[in-house]
């Protein structure tokens, strides 16, 4: 299958490897905030210009770090963020304590498991139209920009995607110019199909392993497709070979790398 034309948004080449910011600023991330900033600079120096984040990542610190990294070169970057998930009030109130938590011995597996468990127990969903608008506005402030390139619903259930108020809200955000594309990030094939049935949707983020059952739908709509979970999808291949295969897929616009390792970034240097 021939590679389709390069996707430009608006009129620049988007890197075939994108940086996934899920672990930036997280209390379970072994890197300091300064080291995270250095990792982002390394990615930019390598030619990566797409950065994927979400309002919930690092309790907003992922967006803050990316915003600082792209400051002064925003027009050369493609920013993707998500909304629909949020921490409980309790977790938001203890956010100022993150520097103290970072001093804990996170090398201890039990400590790391406890942190991840506590975080997962305090995450809820909120896809109300007003909440989505407010969350995107908060993301824009943290990213220090007046618009994102892609705004995604973050793991929405099927009934949310099928709610006509959601499509209307996404259309309104497009009309305001605060995002260039809207779509969903999902691990569910039915949710992906329902989203792509909406005329307003033109972006999709899915695990690479989910692409095969969705190929015909993706071919019909031709969304801006971000593939993640490449490391888990690789099987016996090396990480570099798996990413090379992912970006060679004609339906994949960008393969996302979620890492805290400078060495892993270097491993992918030179890929398209």
């Amino acid at each position: 299958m021939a590679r389709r034309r390069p996707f430009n948004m608006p009129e620049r080449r988007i890197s075939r490897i994108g940086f996934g910011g899920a672990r930036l600023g997280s209390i379970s991330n072994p890197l300091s905030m300064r080291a995270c900033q250095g990792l982002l600079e390394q990615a930019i120096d390598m030619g990566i210009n797409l950065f994927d984040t979400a309002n919930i990542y690092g309790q907003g610190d992922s967006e803050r770090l990316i915003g600082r990294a792209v400051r002064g070169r925003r027009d050369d970057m493609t920013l993707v963020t998500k909304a629909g998930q949020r921490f409980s009030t309790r977790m938001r109130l203890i956010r100022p304590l993150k520097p103290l938590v970072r001093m804990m011995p996170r090398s201890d597996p039990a400590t790391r498991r406890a942190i991840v468990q506590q975080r997962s127990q305090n995450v809820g969903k909120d896809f109300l139209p007003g909440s989505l608008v407010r969350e995107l506005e908060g993301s824009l402030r943290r990213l220090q920009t007046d618009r994102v390139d892609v705004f995604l619903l973050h793991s929405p259930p099927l009934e949310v995607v099928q709610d006509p108020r959601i499509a209307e809200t996404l259309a309104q955000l497009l009309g305001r110019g605060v995002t260039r594309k809207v779509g969903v990030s999902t691990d569910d094939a039915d949710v992906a199909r329902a989203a792509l049935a909406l005329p307003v949707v033109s972006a999709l983020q899915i695990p690479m392993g989910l692409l095969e059952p969705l190929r015909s739908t993706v071919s019909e709509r031709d969304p801006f497709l971000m593939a993640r979970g490449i490391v888990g999808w690789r099987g016996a291949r090396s990480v570099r070979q798996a990413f090379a295969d992912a970006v060679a897929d004609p339906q994949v616009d960008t393969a996302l790398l979620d890492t805290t390792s400078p060495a892993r970034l270097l491993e992918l240097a030179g890929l398209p």
Side-chain angles (χ1 to χ4, degrees), residues 204-215:
L204 182 65
Q205 185 181 121
I206 57 173
M208 188 66 191
L210 192 63
L211 178 55
E212 204 56 46
L214 290 171
R215 281 201 185 275

Side-chain angles (χ1 to χ4, degrees), residues 131-162:
S131 298
L132 292 174
V133 173
R134 287 191 297 273
E135 291 298 335
L136 177 54
E137 290 171 346
S139 292
L140 295 177
R141 288 192 295 272
R142 290 186 290 271
L143 288 164
Q144 302 180 51
T145 185
D146 60 354
R147 83 282 182 198
V148 292
D149 298 285
V150 184
F151 178 62
L152 302 172
L153 303 180
H154 198 172
S155 302
L158 184 60
E159 59 268 24
V160 165
V161 176
Q162 294 174 331

Side-chain angles (χ1 to χ4, degrees), residues 81 233 263:
T81 197
W233 167 78

Side-chain angles (χ1 to χ4, degrees), residues 136 149-153 167 169-171 173-174 179-184 199-204 223:
L136 177 54
D149 298 285
V150 184
F151 178 62
L152 302 172
L153 303 180
T169 300
L170 295 177
L173 293 173
L174 285 171
T179 183
R180 291 193 171 101
K181 287 186 173 291
V182 296
V184 301
V200 71
V201 166
S202 59
L204 182 65

Side-chain angles (χ1 to χ4, degrees), residues 8 22 44 60 71 79 88 91 119 148 150 177 184 189 220 230 250 259 261 271:
N8 294 313
I44 292 172
R71 186 167 48 200
L79 299 183
S88 66
M91 288 295 288
R119 182 176 55 190
V148 292
V150 184
V184 301
E220 290 170 7
I230 310 300
T259 188
S261 168
L271 287 180

Side-chain angles (χ1 to χ4, degrees), residues 180-201:
R180 291 193 171 101
K181 287 186 173 291
V182 296
V184 301
S185 174
T186 183
D187 294 347
D188 188 304
D190 289 336
V191 169
R193 292 187 185 97
L196 291 176
L198 302 175
V200 71
V201 166

